């Protein structure tokens, strides 16, 4: 029997299907709203979830409510927003036109600007909550979605999110309520700076992170970000158990130390790639403006330079236009030796 609030996953791609599927498996009534291709695949094969630990769960085709139009939002009490950050304004317009005022809208998106856009677009008629997804999910085809990295969902403490957290407790997408979601968003953004490194490398996350030259670029981007956040009086929260200030030193450690100690602790599936790498492979626009680009814009507001992150943004733009992947030495030279 279904229990808990009625949930709609708006932008039900890889992350949205995993989260919504885990909630549906826990008995919560979930409607997925996304692309026709996924709707067709799931209608034929159902929804199969798995993760790095070997866990797996399947929902039969007839038990998955996957639709392609925003009119499906009309009965939702909770709307989990999983669209790419560039689609936030359009999603807000769809919510405003189709959802019932008073519903809780959770932004499970990259970057820090999406909640501001939702507040502007929804005019105080909905309860807005910032969320955080610290892991990546890969679509393996035939309705199969694989969580390749460890991590738990966080969400701002609100009336609606408290009710949802109770309903999905113990599921593979359980919610941790937080009163410092902005700090967590910035903490996650610092970690997400590796998304671009991974995309530019053309490799799996494991293979990329094993190379110190790639990690040196990642560490430099983080140090630049930490300096900007300090100047802006923004305190990023700890994500993943290691303080933001310590991460650049760990990431920049020699290969023998990083690979034998730290990389083993980070439960990363051997086939996992960043969502930005997936976007490049599929020929889609990336979210670079909402990750490294957030720091570039912060630097501009502070009238400071951000050469490392600005160069990474430029390299991703070239990759979107068809530039080939960069070797460890080539990326380090392009970003750190200019």
């Amino acid at each position: 029997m279904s229990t808990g609030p009625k949930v709609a996953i708006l932008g039900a791609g890889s992350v949205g299907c995993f989260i919504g599927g885990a909630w549906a498996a826990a008995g919560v009534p979930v409607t997925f709203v996304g692309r026709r291709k996924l709707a067709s695949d799931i209608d034929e094969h159902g929804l199969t979830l798995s993760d790095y630990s070997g866990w797996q769960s399947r929902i039969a085709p007839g038990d998955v409510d996957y639709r392609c139009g925003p009119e499906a939002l009309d009965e939702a009490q909770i709307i989990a927003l999983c669209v790419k950050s560039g689609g936030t304004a359009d999603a807000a317009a769809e919510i405003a036109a189709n959802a019932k005022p008073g519903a809780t809208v959770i932004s499970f998106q990259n970057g820090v600007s999406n909640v501001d856009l939702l507040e502007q677009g929804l005019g105080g008629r909905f309860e807005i909550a910032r969320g955080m997804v610290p892991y990546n999910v890969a679509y393996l085809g035939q309705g199969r979605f694989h969580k390749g990295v460890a991590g738990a969902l966080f969400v701002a403490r609100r009336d609606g999110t408290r009710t949802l957290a109770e309903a999905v407790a113990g599921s593979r997408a359980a919610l941790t309520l937080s009163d410092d979601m902005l700090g967590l968003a910035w903490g996650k953004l610092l970690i997400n700076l590796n998304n671009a490194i991974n995309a530019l490398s053309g490799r799996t996350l494991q293979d990329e992170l094993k190379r110190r030259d790639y990690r040196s670029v990642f560490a430099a981007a983080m140090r630049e970000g930490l300096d900007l956040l300090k100047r802006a009086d923004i305190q990023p929260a700890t994500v993943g158990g290691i303080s933001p200030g310590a991460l650049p030193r760990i990431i920049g450690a020699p290969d023998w130390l990083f690979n034998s100690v730290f990389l083993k602790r980070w439960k990363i599936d051997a086939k996992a790639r960043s969502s930005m790498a997936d976007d490049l492979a599929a020929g889609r626009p990336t979210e670079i403006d909402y990750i490294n680009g957030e720091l570039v814009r912060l630097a501009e507001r502070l009238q400071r330079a951000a050469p490392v992150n600005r160069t990474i943004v430029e390299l991703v733009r070239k990759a979107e236009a068809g530039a080939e992947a960069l070797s460890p030495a080539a990326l380090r030279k392009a970003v750190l030796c200019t």
Side-chain angles (χ1 to χ4, degrees):
M1 176 180 289
S2 296
T3 60
K6 293 183 178 180
V7 174
I9 308 291
L10 181 55
S14 296
V15 167
C17 281
F18 185 90
I19 293 173
W23 291 350
V28 173
V30 177
T31 296
F32 300 84
V33 183
R35 299 188 302 271
R36 293 193 179 279
K37 183 181 185 306
L38 272 181
S40 177
D41 286 353
I42 292 170
D43 185 56
E44 179 179 357
H45 300 286
L47 192 59
T48 299
L49 312 178
S50 59
D51 70 11
Y52 59 89
S53 72
W55 169 83
Q56 184 168 301
S57 178
R58 182 175 184 272
I59 304 174
D63 295 329
V64 183
D65 182 11
Y66 197 109
R67 310 186 201 180
C68 300
E71 62 278 0
L73 302 174
D74 63 348
E75 295 185 358
Q77 296 164 279
I78 305 282
I79 299 170
L81 185 59
C82 299
V83 302
K84 295 291 184 180
S85 295
T88 302
D90 288 343
E94 290 181 342
I95 292 169
N98 293 278
K100 292 180 180 178
T104 299
V105 180
I106 306 172
S107 170
F108 282 124
Q109 300 167 278
N110 284 326
V112 297
S113 304
N114 296 297
V115 168
D116 294 336
L117 289 172
L118 290 172
E119 294 283 5
Q120 294 169 16
L122 298 177
R125 293 181 293 129
F126 296 82
E127 182 180 65
I128 310 299
R130 190 185 300 273
M132 186 193 75
V133 184
Y135 48 77
N136 89 310
V137 176
Y139 180 47
L140 305 180
Q142 297 184 334
R144 297 173 297 147
F145 297 88
H146 182 72
K147 174 186 172 183
V149 180
L153 298 175
F154 283 80
V155 67
R157 194 185 309 274
R158 301 283 188 271
D159 290 340
T161 60
R162 189 179 296 109
T163 300
L164 178 62
E166 293 171 356
V168 301
S171 75
R172 289 286 169 152
L175 292 172
T176 298
L177 301 176
S178 173
D179 296 315
D180 184 27
M181 283 307 305
L182 185 59
L184 282 170
W186 279 111
K188 185 205 172 191
L189 184 141
L190 291 171
I191 294 173
N192 277 357
L193 295 175
N194 188 57
N195 284 11
I197 311 303
N198 181 246
L200 291 168
S201 77
R203 305 176 185 225
T204 66
L205 279 166
Q206 271 198 18
D207 192 23
E208 171 242 320
L209 286 169
K210 286 179 179 178
R211 272 62 178 179
R212 194 179 188 187
D213 278 346
Y214 285 139
R215 297 199 313 277
S216 295
V217 177
F218 180 18
M222 286 193 69
R223 283 193 295 270
E224 185 174 88
L226 285 165
D227 178 66
L228 290 168
L229 292 176
K230 183 177 180 180
R231 292 177 183 278
D233 198 26
I234 297 170
Q235 180 61 53
T238 296
V239 176
I242 301 174
S243 70
L247 272 171
R249 295 193 300 274
I250 291 171
I251 291 165
D255 283 340
W256 67 267
L257 177 60
F258 182 85
N259 294 337
S260 63
V261 178
F262 299 112
L263 189 56
K264 284 187 176 181
R265 292 181 183 175
W266 297 347
K267 297 174 182 177
I268 301 175
D269 189 274
K271 297 180 180 180
R273 297 175 185 268
S274 71
S275 58
M276 194 174 297
D278 290 340
D279 287 339
L280 280 184
R284 296 188 295 260
T286 72
E287 293 185 292
I288 190 67
D289 285 339
Y290 300 91
I291 302 178
N292 303 74
E294 293 274 15
L295 292 173
V296 173
R297 289 192 295 276
L298 178 60
E300 291 171 349
R301 292 197 295 271
L302 295 170
Q303 297 185 326
R304 307 290 299 184
V308 173
N309 285 285
R310 186 179 295 277
T311 300
I312 291 171
V313 171
E314 292 169 355
L315 289 172
V316 171
R317 289 282 178 247
K318 291 179 181 178
E320 289 176 331
E324 295 183 356
L326 296 170
S327 69
L331 183 62
R332 188 179 192 280
K333 180 179 180 181
V335 177
L336 304 183
C337 299
T338 54

